[in-house]
Amino acid sequence: QLVMGLFALAAFIGCTLEYFFTRERITEEDIHEGEEPKGEIIPTGKQLKAAAKDRYWWIIMIFYFLYQAGTMFKGGYVFNIFCNDFFKEVTVFGKAMGPESVQSILALLSGIPLAVGMLFAWPVANKMGKRNFIILGCVVSIIGSIVCLTNPASFIVMLIGQTLKGFSSIPGAYIMMALFADVLDHLEAKNGFRVDGVSMSVYSTIMTVVNGLAVAFFNLFYDGGVFSHQAVSSFFFLGFEIIAHGILIFVLLALNVEKNIEAEQKLIAERKAGKA
């Protein structure tokens, strides 16, 4: 508890420093050589009020809350417990292996699609749209989880399902932050000032808080004695993302920021040119 408390304190200090010392989005064209960028300092309350009034901003924050929770539930800690519950001893490629070895192999093989995804993520996103690509990732994630739940004690079934989930992680890993940037541009066009500072602070807080809450929530049910260990570990490792990503598909359908982003970015450029 002491160690976790120290990490939480360090995260809080880091988030605070990030907010006060992060420069708002500034392009090279806005900065003359040897000159520091000048601009109005927008109070935190004004930034937060402007952001909180925009539905796109809320959609982004809801996305990261649910997405990060799912990432934590399928992460190393819960993944290890899941493998210990379902793979006490299994024969993989003709060799008897324990849960730790099974976890390593599943993580390695199912992680390959995510690594390869960086090569085609942007061409696909440019063709079908960032939002639509992320929704597709959620759909594939749900399919992968359902495949795994058909027989979570089968290494082959788990490998197929986890590989699908590896592909499903590509949009969230490589594209979602660009969509976040589009929302920040939309807010600048709408309000006349940027809200990057407060937005990144809220984002960092969500990522930090969810990490701790996810583990605590899992342990509460796992050690509660109401449900079997296998039921709890399979739900959080596999079932949670079916619910979370199903909600995200519905929520993301309302995220139409890409529809007018080019016009809004043009408006921002015109404002900057007018101030020059």
Side-chain angles (χ1 to χ4, degrees), residues 118-159:
M118 70 176 69
L119 301 176
F120 63 83
W122 274 108
V124 174
N126 290 333
K127 186 175 182 62
M128 66 184 302
K130 294 188 282 288
R131 183 202 65 170
N132 293 338
F133 189 30
I134 294 166
I135 289 176
L136 176 62
C138 291
V139 172
V140 175
S141 173
I142 292 172
I143 295 172
S145 293
I146 292 174
V147 169
C148 290
L149 284 171
T150 60
N151 190 356
S154 168
F155 175 82
I156 298 301
V157 170
M158 284 296 298
L159 180 59

Side-chain angles (χ1 to χ4, degrees), residues 48-203:
L48 186 58
K49 184 178 180 180
K53 286 183 176 180
D54 190 86
R55 63 172 179 163
Y56 293 159
W57 187 85
W58 280 106
I59 290 172
I60 291 291
M61 296 307 164
I62 291 171
F63 175 90
Y64 277 114
F65 181 86
L66 292 175
Y67 190 83
Q68 183 64 15
T71 299
M72 285 303 301
F73 285 138
K74 68 181 179 184
Y77 176 70
V78 178
F79 195 0
N80 181 263
I81 292 176
F82 174 87
C83 288
N84 275 277
D85 286 341
F86 284 92
F87 297 106
K88 295 292 185 182
E89 184 174 341
V90 64
T91 301
V92 179
F93 305 134
K95 183 179 180 181
M97 293 186 177
E100 284 73 22
S101 298
V102 172
Q103 179 183 356
S104 298
I105 293 174
L106 283 175
L108 176 63
L109 296 181
S110 63
I112 293 174
L114 181 60
V116 175
M118 70 176 69
L119 301 176
F120 63 83
W122 274 108
V124 174
N126 290 333
K127 186 175 182 62
M128 66 184 302
K130 294 188 282 288
R131 183 202 65 170
N132 293 338
F133 189 30
I134 294 166
I135 289 176
L136 176 62
C138 291
V139 172
V140 175
S141 173
I142 292 172
I143 295 172
S145 293
I146 292 174
V147 169
C148 290
L149 284 171
T150 60
N151 190 356
S154 168
F155 175 82
I156 298 301
V157 170
M158 284 296 298
L159 180 59
I160 295 171
Q162 289 298 299
T163 299
L164 286 172
K165 290 176 71 66
F167 279 109
S168 75
S169 299
I170 293 170
Y174 301 117
I175 305 300
M176 191 62 200
M177 192 55 74
L179 197 56
F180 191 0
D182 286 346
V183 171
L184 294 177
D185 283 348
H186 159 74
L187 284 165
E188 181 180 5
K190 177 181 177 181
N191 299 296
F193 57 85
R194 297 196 69 82
V195 297
D196 298 46
V198 72
S199 296
M200 291 309 298
S201 292
V202 174
Y203 163 81

